[in-house]
Amino acid sequence: MSDAFTTRTLRITTGSREVVHDLTGDCASFLREAAAGRDGLLNVFTPHATTGVAILETGAGSDDDLLAALHTLLPADDRWQHRHGSPGHGRDHVLPALVPPHATIPVIGGEMALGTWQSVCVVDTNKDNPERTVRLSFLG
């Protein structure tokens, strides 16, 4: 049985454009307090029907490549049955099937055991909803 379960809710603004929003610094800050040097698991969850959580390299173009790939796989056109919101908004509701709304990351000695170039990000293609919530939970 765990000695500790701690959770925190982040509120982030993703704006009115498609975005890969880096949460790595927020996660590290949370773990400094919640993990306090212990091993465990960090769960990152976004409770929205149109966002996902991805672990990928950022800053070198991979974040833009992900958005471009999603445009190819999920075009913003009128093919979608789900039709409220901006044109093509139905694709935003399919996004979490490809980029799930959660990720679990091992924590070793209070720090995320990420690879050298990995970052924890929220992927948001829904331009109609710029305010998002992300729940960080540490079990250790």
Side-chain angles (χ1 to χ4, degrees), residues 60-73:
S62 297
D63 35 359
D64 291 331
D65 289 343
L66 174 59
L67 293 175
L70 291 171
H71 271 282
T72 300
L73 293 169

Side-chain angles (χ1 to χ4, degrees), residues 7-14 21-31 42-48 120-122 131-137:
T7 190
R8 176 179 298 159
T9 301
L10 304 175
R11 302 204 189 291
I12 60 171
T13 301
T14 56
H21 182 89
D22 193 338
L23 297 172
T24 309
D26 295 307
C27 293
S29 176
F30 168 69
L31 288 173
L42 171 66
N43 182 263
V44 182
F45 176 74
T46 178
H48 300 284
V120 181
C121 302
V122 166
E131 300 299 322
R132 298 304 186 163
T133 300
V134 178
R135 180 170 297 281
L136 305 178
S137 301

